[in-house]
Amino acid sequence: MTMKLSLEEVVRQHFGAGPKERPQELDANLRRLKAEHLKARGDEAIKQGNCRQAWERQAPYSEAIDLKPDKAALPALHSNRCLAYMKAQRYGDALRDAEAAARLAPGWSKAHWRCGTALLALKRTPEAVLAFLEAWRLAAGDARAECEGRLRQAVQRLTREQLGRGILALMEGLQGEGRMEAPQVEEASEQELAEGMFRHLKEEHRGQPRPGPYYKRYLGWLREGLEPGEAYILRAMAHIQARCYLQARADAQAAVGALRKAQQQQQQQQQQEQEQEQGGGKGPAGARPAGQQQAAEPGDSQRGQGQGLGAEVLRLQLATAYHKLGEACMAEPNHADMDCRQAAKAFLQAAELDPGMDGLGERLHDASEKLSSRDLDEIQLEIYHEGATGASSRRGLGTAGRLLPGQHVFQAELRLAFPAARAADCGSAAREALRAGLAAAAGVSPLAVSIERVLAPTAARPHLEVLVHVQMGADLLAANELVKAVGGAAGPDGSASPTSSCSVASNEEESDMEAVEPEGAAQAPAPAEQEREREEERELRRRRLAALLGGEQVTAALGLPDPRLCGGEITDVTPACAGANEAERAQQEALNRADAEVAPEQERRLVVPSRPKMELELPYRMYRLVRADGSLVERVDKHPFCMSRVYYDVTEKPEEVWAELADGSCRWRQTGGEVKVVALRVPPELPNRQLAVDIQPYSLKVWNRATGEVYLEGSLERGVVPEDCFWTHCGGEGEDGCAIYLRKMNLEVLKKHWLHSEMWWPRLFREHGEIAWDDYEKDYSDLPEEVLDKHRIREAIQEPAKRIEEAERTRRGRLQEVEDLRKRTRQERLNELRSGRKLSWVELDRGLPAASQA
């Protein structure tokens, strides 16, 4: 009879008989069996909440790891023991096990997840972000979504300074891959560049809901990668804040080059797709005559919209690059690198791409104030001969989008009418679909199509009117075909063009004209049948025009257009400065040819970047603000008058912020009556009997009794009471290390009890630099009791007056709101009486044109 034994009984019988062998002497299979048994015991202990039983030296997980089973089982053992350590809040030990698991199984996402969790608990947030990112890359299915959620949480816990350093690390990665050039004109130190990036993030996040827009962008860059064009823009922003204006100029120019290249690639891809859709048909305009226009497929408008979104992003990024180029050229007042001419040129190019960019008009005004009219004309001439910023979206131009001598640029100005639509129907989705449809019909990029104005229906004009401009470049025939397809027949000078003479008659006349029948012809059809035929023809023309404008997506939002009310004309938009003399034109062409790319072998040269002409004042050279464990805290947005909040109630105490000296000797913080000091150079394993701490009224010294090594020494900024001071050394780090508690004398505040700021120390030792007053909030909750009593009495006396003042302030605010509402209503009514057009106060405040002007 065969007896079946469990795995636990086999292991117990094997190890219970005879002398106990060492683990390394056991057979590999037995070690594996015992490790599995111990792992099962450890898992059961964790389920029951006995974490200590799982990770102790003689615990199942530790004993299983000591057995050294096969490599396939070790990662899971380290991972499970890491979980036990995490539940016991032993985060350092948990991190060591997680790193061991990741080292043994680099392709296991759970091991990197454990690393990220432990690092996050240790408040090493930047390292936790990288660990969760690696886990996300390796995970699949539901685990990938969970990793993405934890990655997002870790990114949002970054301080702005850590976020800036993370963005700089992505740039360094691009440089290492050879996709981005290192700075070659001016060189800022690592601290200066980090401070510049922090200041940029601070400006961009001001007034934004937390955590801020750059946190979401950084998360996207981590997952999808940072493109060189955007990276150059970011580095230009950081160099502007770091006062490296020449290098910022070079970075912005590199961003323009990278984004232009991306635009050209995108346009080539779109042209190839259009040629494939058209079956290789010719015709540069890409537009079909009105009589041959076919109904668009349902997916056409969606494809055009998707392409437009990508082109829109590139357009906005290019506008930002030109904007930063202008800021770098403007530098700052009286700076040696200021170049108002190049700044005005860059701002003009940015305005052409994104006229609504914040602050662009003011910056352009500042740059052009110092230029003459001749300078401005020459700048326009340069932009004209170089080709407009959106030259890649125009047709018929010369090489690289530049205008050839004698060429003209044409613009199709279209007027579209939708009888069944309202102004609210023309939302962003309808606009994008309309732009994409017209761009596909004209054979240009969606960047070349702009919706200039949307006119709401009125009593005199009961239909919605949309005014659209399409930049057609130098191709006059394509522009004429587009205008004919929409319904117009005017040439560049406003007269009828020969090309479109076949459609000189308006749509209304064409629809109402009756054919002249020769003698002897058959009898004309009945009037009802004629009216039905005309209505069918109108409906067919509406469908064809709707397909031209964007298909079902436009029709669903705005309804069918009315061809009888639609029209257009062609305008010559060539700048007036194009009539320059031939000498200037030849000189500009020579400059354009000099912009050709240099061969790679000629670019390889040794360049030593120079220091910027003005140094950036770093705020934290002598110290940094940290928590008790040494992790960085978020830097506060300082008040212009160096104000900070003060707490008198112990229940409202702020987060403890410590000042850690740059030399790494100590970390300290203070309250109203106490100073806490952590001596960082004291070894954690040093016995207490060898550690000596001497606290005098105006001095402090920490040293080793055995060796005489001094860990911390200095003259205190103000006096302390030695009898009320003490120190501890628990053999750990931070407050668990050598921590010293000093009781302030506070002689200043005892003399003038109303001046509580007098007891605040600007520094710990007189040899140190001062801590900025507004670096962190003040805790006055432990002031001397006699001082706090007087403060409470004074607050109680002033409380009724404060309440009355607050009530009066609230009453005045309500009255002001009522008065503002009355003024806004009056403005709206007056405008409606004068112009017949009803506009909201917001529209009036933005200066929108009245109905008569529209």
Side-chain angles (χ1 to χ4, degrees):
M1 181 177 180
T2 304
M3 181 180 296
K4 294 184 179 180
L5 298 177
S6 66
L7 174 63
E8 183 177 358
E9 293 173 346
V10 171
V11 173
R12 186 184 304 111
Q13 290 181 9
H14 179 81
F15 290 103
K20 191 173 182 179
E21 298 178 280
R22 290 184 301 173
Q24 58 268 26
E25 297 175 356
L26 296 177
D27 181 73
N29 291 331
L30 290 177
R31 289 203 309 270
R32 179 177 58 80
L33 290 174
K34 185 174 182 180
E36 291 177 357
H37 169 67
L38 293 172
K39 180 178 180 296
R41 284 176 52 192
D43 295 346
E44 186 64 26
I46 289 181
K47 289 179 182 179
Q48 295 177 0
N50 300 325
C51 301
R52 188 180 186 88
Q53 183 180 348
W55 58 259
E56 280 184 331
R57 181 60 186 169
Q58 300 299 327
Y61 287 143
S62 301
E63 190 175 350
I65 292 173
D66 291 340
L67 284 172
K68 292 186 170 65
D70 53 1
K71 292 184 177 180
L74 274 176
L77 291 171
H78 282 289
S79 175
N80 288 10
R81 192 169 71 172
C82 170
L83 175 61
Y85 279 133
M86 287 294 298
K87 289 181 176 295
Q89 297 184 1
R90 295 173 61 94
Y91 303 128
D93 295 328
L95 178 60
R96 282 188 287 272
D97 268 332
E99 290 175 342
R103 187 168 55 253
L104 292 169
W108 190 30
S109 65
K110 191 172 184 179
H112 298 282
W113 166 280
R114 297 285 191 211
C115 284
T117 305
L119 288 166
L120 209 58
L122 291 170
K123 297 179 181 173
R124 293 162 59 177
T125 313
E127 299 172 67
V129 168
L130 298 180
F132 283 125
L133 176 63
E134 189 63 24
W136 173 80
R137 288 172 177 167
L138 297 172
D142 295 339
R144 187 180 181 89
E146 190 175 358
C147 289
E148 184 177 357
R150 292 304 300 270
L151 175 61
R152 184 181 299 106
Q153 293 175 6
V155 167
Q156 291 178 354
R157 289 192 186 184
L158 293 170
T159 65
R160 288 173 295 183
E161 189 172 357
Q162 291 171 336
L163 177 63
R165 291 184 180 274
I167 296 174
L168 294 176
L170 293 179
M171 297 181 195
E172 291 178 1
L174 289 178
Q175 294 178 22
E177 297 172 3
R179 301 174 60 196
M180 185 178 183
E181 294 290 336
Q184 298 181 356
V185 182
E186 289 179 327
E187 182 180 18
S189 66
E190 181 181 351
Q191 292 78 12
E192 290 173 335
L193 203 57
E195 178 65 20
M197 182 60 72
F198 167 78
R199 294 186 181 184
H200 168 67
L201 295 178
K202 179 181 175 181
E203 290 182 1
E204 291 294 321
H205 288 180
R206 183 178 290 114
Q208 298 287 341
R210 291 191 176 187
Y214 268 91
Y215 285 87
K216 184 177 180 180
R217 295 177 194 173
Y218 180 61
L219 181 61
W221 295 331
L222 287 175
R223 293 180 301 186
E224 303 168 8
L226 179 61
E227 292 299 323
E230 198 165 4
Y232 277 120
I233 294 175
L234 291 169
R235 198 169 73 180
M237 295 172 177
H239 277 125
I240 289 173
Q241 295 291 341
R243 293 185 170 183
C244 298
Y245 298 111
L246 293 180
Q247 183 59 51
R249 198 178 306 179
D251 288 338
Q253 290 170 346
V256 169
L259 293 171
R260 280 186 179 279
K261 184 177 179 181
Q263 274 189 334
Q264 293 174 0
Q265 293 175 351
Q266 187 182 62
Q267 186 183 10
Q268 291 173 1
Q269 182 179 359
Q270 291 178 358
Q271 289 177 352
Q272 292 174 0
E273 292 176 357
Q274 291 176 4
E275 291 175 359
Q276 292 175 358
E277 291 176 359
Q278 294 174 3
K282 297 183 180 181
R288 284 168 277 189
Q292 300 177 5
Q293 184 71 30
Q294 299 177 0
E297 298 180 3
D300 289 347
S301 61
Q302 296 178 3
R303 283 195 296 270
Q305 184 179 359
Q307 294 173 356
L309 286 175
E312 186 76 7
V313 170
L314 285 177
R315 179 180 68 84
L316 296 177
Q317 289 183 354
L318 190 57
T320 305
Y322 276 115
H323 189 201
K324 297 307 170 184
L325 177 59
E327 288 187 355
C329 292
M330 282 296 290
E332 55 188 88
N334 303 323
H335 196 277
D337 296 333
M338 178 183 285
D339 189 347
C340 294
R341 180 188 177 90
Q342 292 299 324
K345 180 179 177 181
F347 288 139
L348 282 172
Q349 291 169 312
E352 182 178 353
L353 287 163
D354 187 7
M357 182 178 290
D358 293 339
L360 184 58
E362 182 180 352
R363 300 291 289 175
L364 180 58
H365 178 266
D366 295 341
S368 58
E369 261 188 345
K370 302 178 181 179
L371 300 176
S372 63
S373 300
R374 181 175 180 179
D375 291 334
L376 295 175
D377 291 340
E378 291 176 354
I379 290 172
Q380 293 180 358
L381 180 63
E382 290 177 10
I383 296 176
Y384 167 74
H385 281 297
E386 290 176 5
T389 310
S392 60
S393 63
R394 297 178 178 176
R395 309 176 41 158
L397 303 181
T399 307
R402 294 188 175 93
L403 293 170
L404 299 176
Q407 272 191 332
H408 290 257
V409 179
F410 299 102
Q411 174 178 277
E413 299 181 357
L414 308 178
R415 184 180 66 257
L416 309 176
F418 297 91
R422 300 172 302 170
D425 298 332
C426 193
S428 59
R431 291 169 183 254
E432 288 298 328
L434 187 61
R435 290 178 62 236
L438 284 173
V444 298
S445 168
L447 294 176
V449 182
S450 62
I451 298 179
E452 296 298 318
R453 191 176 300 170
V454 177
L455 303 179
T458 61
R461 179 179 34 78
H463 58 269
L464 179 73
E465 192 167 294
V466 182
L467 305 181
V468 185
H469 291 176
V470 183
Q471 302 291 336
M472 300 299 300
D475 197 340
L476 178 60
L477 294 179
N480 198 43
E481 288 183 9
L482 179 63
V483 171
K484 282 173 54 181
V486 172
D493 56 352
S495 60
S497 64
T499 310
S500 58
S501 57
C502 59
S503 59
V504 170
S506 67
N507 291 325
E508 295 144 333
E509 295 171 348
E510 184 181 348
S511 61
D512 295 332
M513 282 167 41
E514 297 182 2
V516 179
E517 297 289 343
E519 294 182 3
Q523 185 178 0
E529 185 178 353
Q530 290 182 357
E531 183 63 27
R532 186 176 66 255
E533 290 178 356
R534 283 199 294 267
E535 185 61 32
E536 290 177 355
E537 184 180 355
R538 292 194 193 107
E539 183 67 19
L540 179 61
R541 286 164 54 198
R542 290 193 194 99
R543 296 288 179 184
R544 289 173 179 172
L545 183 56
L548 173 75
L549 299 180
E552 294 182 357
Q553 192 166 359
V554 174
T555 305
L558 303 176
L560 290 174
D562 191 345
R564 296 174 301 173
L565 302 176
C566 295
E569 61 181 9
I570 302 172
T571 306
D572 189 342
V573 293
T574 308
C577 60
N581 56 53
E582 293 298 328
E584 292 180 352
R585 186 171 300 168
Q587 181 181 5
Q588 186 61 43
E589 286 297 325
L591 292 175
N592 293 339
R593 287 194 297 271
D595 290 338
E597 296 183 359
V598 184
E601 54 269 16
Q602 297 178 2
E603 292 181 350
R604 297 177 182 174
R605 60 186 186 277
L606 295 176
V607 178
V608 180
S610 62
R611 287 290 301 163
K613 297 178 177 61
M614 297 182 67
E615 293 287 339
L616 177 66
E617 183 180 353
L618 296 177
Y620 297 103
R621 288 181 182 270
M622 304 303 297
Y623 64 94
R624 61 176 189 157
L625 302 178
V626 298
R627 298 183 180 89
D629 57 2
S631 59
L632 286 176
V633 299
E634 180 63 88
R635 287 165 58 175
V636 297
D637 294 334
K638 298 187 176 182
H639 194 275
F641 298 105
C642 298
M643 298 177 66
S644 60
R645 188 172 178 180
V646 175
Y647 294 88
Y648 287 95
D649 190 349
V650 68
T651 61
E652 299 178 355
K653 290 176 63 174
E655 178 188 14
E656 288 192 352
V657 178
W658 298 66
E660 183 175 314
L661 300 187
D663 60 0
S665 60
C666 69
R667 184 184 303 148
W668 74 285
R669 74 174 304 271
Q670 61 177 319
T671 61
E674 186 182 57
V675 175
K676 299 179 184 179
V677 184
V678 176
L680 300 176
R681 293 177 178 173
V682 177
E685 65 279 1
L686 184 68
N688 286 347
R689 62 179 179 273
Q690 294 185 14
L691 184 62
V693 179
D694 181 25
I695 304 175
Q696 298 295 329
Y698 291 96
S699 66
L700 173 65
K701 182 179 180 181
V702 182
W703 77 96
N704 190 322
R705 295 180 187 273
T707 63
E709 180 182 0
V710 177
Y711 302 122
L712 182 65
E713 184 179 14
S715 301
L716 296 173
E717 173 68 13
R718 294 178 187 167
V720 298
V721 183
E723 294 79 7
D724 295 339
C725 303
F726 63 95
W727 62 274
T728 61
H729 180 51
C730 301
E733 297 180 354
E735 291 187 278
D736 292 334
C738 180
I740 307 164
Y741 299 84
L742 307 176
R743 172 60 60 182
K744 295 180 179 179
M745 286 187 183
N746 280 337
L747 299 178
E748 299 83 6
V749 76
L750 291 175
K751 293 179 182 178
K752 300 178 181 179
H753 63 85
W754 61 91
L755 293 178
H756 300 167
S757 60
E758 292 295 325
M759 55 76 198
W760 200 257
W761 292 15
R763 54 196 168 193
L764 176 62
F765 294 142
R766 295 179 182 177
E767 299 83 8
H768 294 167
E770 292 189 359
I771 308 296
W773 172 262
D774 53 349
D775 263 342
Y776 46 78
E777 297 169 339
K778 311 298 186 297
D779 179 11
Y780 290 171
S781 61
D782 60 347
L783 282 171
E785 195 62 33
E786 56 271 22
V787 176
L788 282 178
D789 289 341
K790 294 178 181 178
H791 170 73
R792 296 188 187 104
I793 293 173
R794 186 169 64 253
E795 288 293 317
I797 294 174
Q798 295 176 355
E799 184 64 26
K802 289 182 178 180
R803 285 201 298 266
I804 294 173
E805 183 179 353
E806 180 65 26
E808 179 65 19
R809 190 183 300 111
T810 303
R811 187 184 68 82
R812 290 179 181 177
R814 291 175 181 173
L815 292 176
Q816 185 64 40
E817 289 178 1
V818 173
E819 179 66 15
D820 292 342
L821 178 61
R822 186 190 66 80
K823 290 181 179 179
R824 290 196 294 265
T825 306
R826 183 174 179 271
Q827 276 186 312
E828 293 172 359
R829 290 176 178 174
L830 285 175
N831 178 76
E832 187 175 1
L833 290 174
R834 291 170 179 171
S835 62
R837 185 182 182 190
K838 188 173 182 180
L839 290 177
S840 67
W841 173 81
V842 176
E843 294 172 324
L844 291 173
D845 187 59
R846 291 176 179 175
L848 294 180
S852 59
Q853 297 176 355

